[in-house]
Amino acid sequence: MKNILITGAAGFIAPHVIEACTNRGWNVWGIDIIERIEDNIYDHKNFKFEIKDVRDLKKNDLEDIDYIIHLAFVTN
């Protein structure tokens, strides 16, 4: 089973990527600095969401991650 990290998980594109990954049976960990948008895709048993800044990730956070899909960005 693949373990996927998706950054920017509360964004516009991420729900489609999350759906594709969870439909394949992969475990998905989504992170974003804003709260997730309510959507039924986020209720999938293989999806875990966490409010976290991608810039705060440490090496040990990524130990079990097979792939990273980086969709996060900061606008200011």
Side-chain angles (χ1 to χ4, degrees), residues 25-62:
W26 300 343
N27 293 317
V28 178
W29 176 34
I31 64 170
D32 207 312
I33 60 174
I34 62 173
E35 288 190 42
R36 63 188 174 143
I37 300 166
E38 288 303 317
D39 190 342
N40 62 0
I41 188 62
Y42 293 115
D43 295 331
H44 196 283
K45 66 179 180 169
N46 290 356
F47 178 71
K48 180 181 92 171
F49 180 82
E50 186 176 348
I51 296 176
K52 187 175 189 90
D53 192 320
V54 67
R55 298 170 290 185
D56 294 334
L57 289 172
K58 306 292 184 223
K59 183 178 177 180
N60 62 338
D61 292 326
L62 306 176

Side-chain angles (χ1 to χ4, degrees), residues 59-74:
K59 183 178 177 180
N60 62 338
D61 292 326
L62 306 176
E63 286 180 357
D64 295 327
I65 300 297
D66 297 307
Y67 298 101
I68 298 171
I69 301 172
H70 181 54
L71 302 174
F73 64 95
V74 176

